Amino acid sequence: MGESQVGFLSSAMFSLLVIKRSLFAYVLRRWKGFTNERRLLNECFVADCHRDILTSNLWVSDLQEEGKNAINTPLSPAFVDIHPEDTQLEENEERMMIDPTSKDDPKFKELVKVLTDWVSDVLVEERIIVKQLEEDLYDGQVLQKLLEKLAGCKLNVAEVTQSEIGQRQKLQTVLDAVHGLLRPHGWALQWTVDSIHGKNLVAILHLLVSLAMHFRAPIRLPEHVSVQVVVVRKREGLLHSSHVTEELTTTTEAMMGRFERDAFDTLFDHAPDKLSVVKKSLITFVNKQLNKLNLEVTELETQFADGVYLVLLMGLLEDYFVPLHNFYLTPDSFDQRVHNVSFAFELMLDGGLRKPKARPEDVVNLDLKSTLRVLYNLFTKYKNAE
């Protein structure tokens, strides 16, 4: 190999080493801080120079392979998807990220989808379609519209705000209004202006779950949803991470805890042996009416889930014919079944009964306790009806 070729290879090797030095500096800034960066860089750079200059008579093919390996070598661990902006923290500042394994959990995906679709459904008249919660809700614009629609109020905020200061001010006003609604009912406020504006998906989910439960949204949230959260904190120039578990949902009844316990709670918790007696009495009561239409109930939790028997039962008890166009006689979707049960609830209110404690979605989802509550509400008024 001639001197000119050796010189060319030496120059190429030196350029490659400069690139490798820059990449190495990037890794150190992200994962080890700046404390020992200069000393480590100098030691590694000198060692690389000494080794590679001594072997500068490598063939061009070896040089290309070295460059390819340098480019393809992973620069950071792959177990957590941490974006560069997530590591740009001030001293003692911390940031939370959902562990990728939790994002793949089916129940977590279902919760995100149910809440995303719910917000879009509420704001359909505003022509707002939510696609990604953290990107669409962080600036307060969509949250403002959502709260105004749910609470039937008008917030005194600017309609459009582009600056970060303006966004935070709007978000503060919106969250103050939310807190005013939720705090008297004992809701835990697990979000802040910083966390929402910082696109913290966990905080946004906590907020939406609380709003959905408070306003009795016509949705069914998956129960017992938890996620593993990676908490990254900067201390003495170094990044430290830890894992914590965030509980996003419990049971529907627990989240709707503003209701007082009733006799059915006591029955299920302390006297399950008497449950069959109660069910038998209610089956006898409803069949006394439904038999007039040649219909019969044997399973309370399943045969009332589509709302058809509830609607027909109300017509029989109040002695009127329910027009068939008002409900779905053969419902084939969740929404149609919810419509039927909701319509039956309206007929109950028209008949002078109290608003059922159960939600239509609970009856549709075969929740026996909710179905028993609805039927017992009818039994107390119509038990002597012929």
Side-chain angles (χ1 to χ4, degrees):
M1 182 180 294
E3 292 182 0
S4 61
Q5 289 176 310
V6 173
F8 171 77
L9 287 173
S10 298
S11 176
M13 290 295 294
F14 184 81
S15 299
L16 178 62
L17 289 170
V18 172
I19 295 174
K20 289 171 66 179
R21 182 175 188 257
S22 299
L23 292 173
F24 193 73
Y26 177 85
V27 175
L28 284 177
R29 283 196 301 272
R30 288 290 178 261
W31 297 99
K32 292 186 177 181
F34 299 94
T35 306
N36 298 316
E37 179 181 350
R38 187 177 301 276
R39 178 179 60 80
L40 291 172
L41 280 173
N42 288 337
E43 290 177 0
C44 294
F45 186 58
V46 170
D48 276 347
C49 287
H50 180 69
R51 184 189 69 247
D52 292 326
I53 290 176
L54 288 177
T55 58
S56 61
N57 60 347
L58 294 172
W59 294 98
V60 174
S61 59
D62 293 331
L63 176 63
Q64 291 174 340
E65 186 66 25
E66 176 75 12
K68 181 180 178 181
N69 291 336
I71 292 172
N72 292 332
T73 299
L75 295 178
S76 61
F79 61 91
V80 177
D81 182 19
I82 299 180
H83 299 286
E85 62 269 20
D86 292 326
T87 62
Q88 296 172 354
L89 305 178
E90 300 295 333
E91 185 67 19
N92 293 321
E93 185 183 355
E94 70 176 33
R95 193 157 298 168
M96 299 172 61
M97 293 149 283
I98 299 176
D99 190 289
T101 56
S102 290
K103 284 187 176 182
D104 292 333
D105 182 81
K107 293 178 69 174
F108 175 78
K109 288 183 176 180
E110 181 187 358
L111 177 64
V112 172
K113 185 180 186 305
V114 169
L115 290 173
T116 302
D117 292 344
W118 171 60
V119 176
S120 295
D121 289 343
V122 173
L123 300 178
V124 64
E125 295 181 359
E126 301 285 341
R127 298 182 179 179
I128 294 176
I129 299 176
V130 175
K131 296 182 178 179
Q132 193 171 2
L133 293 176
E134 59 267 48
E135 294 295 334
D136 294 337
L137 272 64
Y138 81 96
D139 62 357
Q141 182 75 19
V142 174
L143 282 176
Q144 172 206 343
K145 297 295 184 182
L146 178 65
L147 184 61
E148 289 179 341
K149 191 72 174 179
L150 293 173
C153 64
K154 182 68 176 177
L155 299 179
N156 185 24
V157 293
E159 283 298 318
V160 180
T161 53
Q162 298 294 337
S163 68
E164 180 178 342
I165 295 177
Q167 291 173 354
R168 286 179 171 273
Q169 289 175 342
K170 168 180 277 192
L171 197 54
Q172 183 69 63
T173 301
V174 174
L175 293 184
D176 284 345
V178 171
H179 297 169
L181 290 170
L182 300 184
R183 187 177 285 112
H185 297 281
W187 291 102
L189 309 180
Q190 296 173 277
W191 56 84
T192 63
V193 171
D194 288 338
S195 61
I196 300 296
H197 195 268
K199 303 180 183 180
N200 184 325
L201 181 56
V202 173
I204 292 172
L205 290 174
H206 277 307
L207 172 59
L208 293 180
V209 167
S210 296
L211 288 175
M213 290 292 98
H214 179 78
F215 288 103
R216 304 189 72 181
I219 57 177
R220 181 72 176 183
L221 298 179
E223 298 184 343
H224 301 295
V225 179
S226 298
V227 292
Q228 286 291 318
V229 176
V230 181
V231 181
V232 179
R233 182 180 294 104
K234 189 171 186 179
R235 189 165 58 245
E236 297 180 359
L238 300 178
L239 295 177
H240 301 268
S241 65
S242 60
H243 285 70
V244 297
T245 301
E246 281 281 335
E247 187 179 60
L248 297 174
T249 66
T250 55
T251 64
T252 300
E253 286 196 349
M255 291 185 288
M256 298 286 288
R258 55 199 174 127
F259 289 138
E260 296 180 358
R261 289 176 59 83
D262 60 11
F264 284 100
D265 291 309
T266 304
L267 179 66
F268 273 73
D269 293 344
H270 304 292
D273 53 308
K274 297 181 180 179
L275 182 60
S276 59
V277 177
V278 174
K279 290 173 64 176
K280 184 177 180 180
S281 298
L282 291 176
I283 288 175
T284 301
F285 163 70
V286 298
N287 280 335
K288 181 179 179 181
Q289 300 298 324
L290 293 176
N291 287 163
K292 298 174 184 178
L293 300 177
N294 293 322
L295 301 173
E296 185 173 4
V297 169
T298 57
E299 293 292 334
L300 295 179
E301 54 266 58
T302 58
Q303 290 182 268
F304 284 98
D306 63 5
V308 175
Y309 279 12
L310 274 179
V311 173
L312 296 177
L313 183 59
M314 280 307 304
L316 291 167
L317 291 171
E318 286 290 327
D319 196 23
Y320 57 71
F321 175 76
V322 181
L324 298 181
H325 65 268
N326 284 337
F327 66 104
Y328 298 95
L329 193 59
T330 56
D332 57 7
S333 69
F334 180 83
D335 290 340
Q336 290 181 1
R337 290 190 285 272
V338 169
H339 168 84
N340 284 354
V341 178
S342 298
F343 178 58
F345 283 10
E346 292 176 9
L347 298 180
M348 294 175 195
L349 292 175
D350 292 342
L353 281 80
R354 294 179 300 172
K355 185 176 182 178
K357 180 178 178 180
R359 302 187 315 153
E361 294 77 17
D362 297 330
V363 176
V364 173
N365 280 292
L366 309 180
D367 184 79
L368 177 59
K369 193 186 297 185
S370 297
T371 303
L372 292 178
R373 285 187 175 118
V374 173
L375 295 177
Y376 186 75
N377 197 29
L378 297 176
F379 176 79
T380 54
K381 179 176 181 179
Y382 299 105
K383 58 185 176 182
N384 297 320
E386 294 298 328

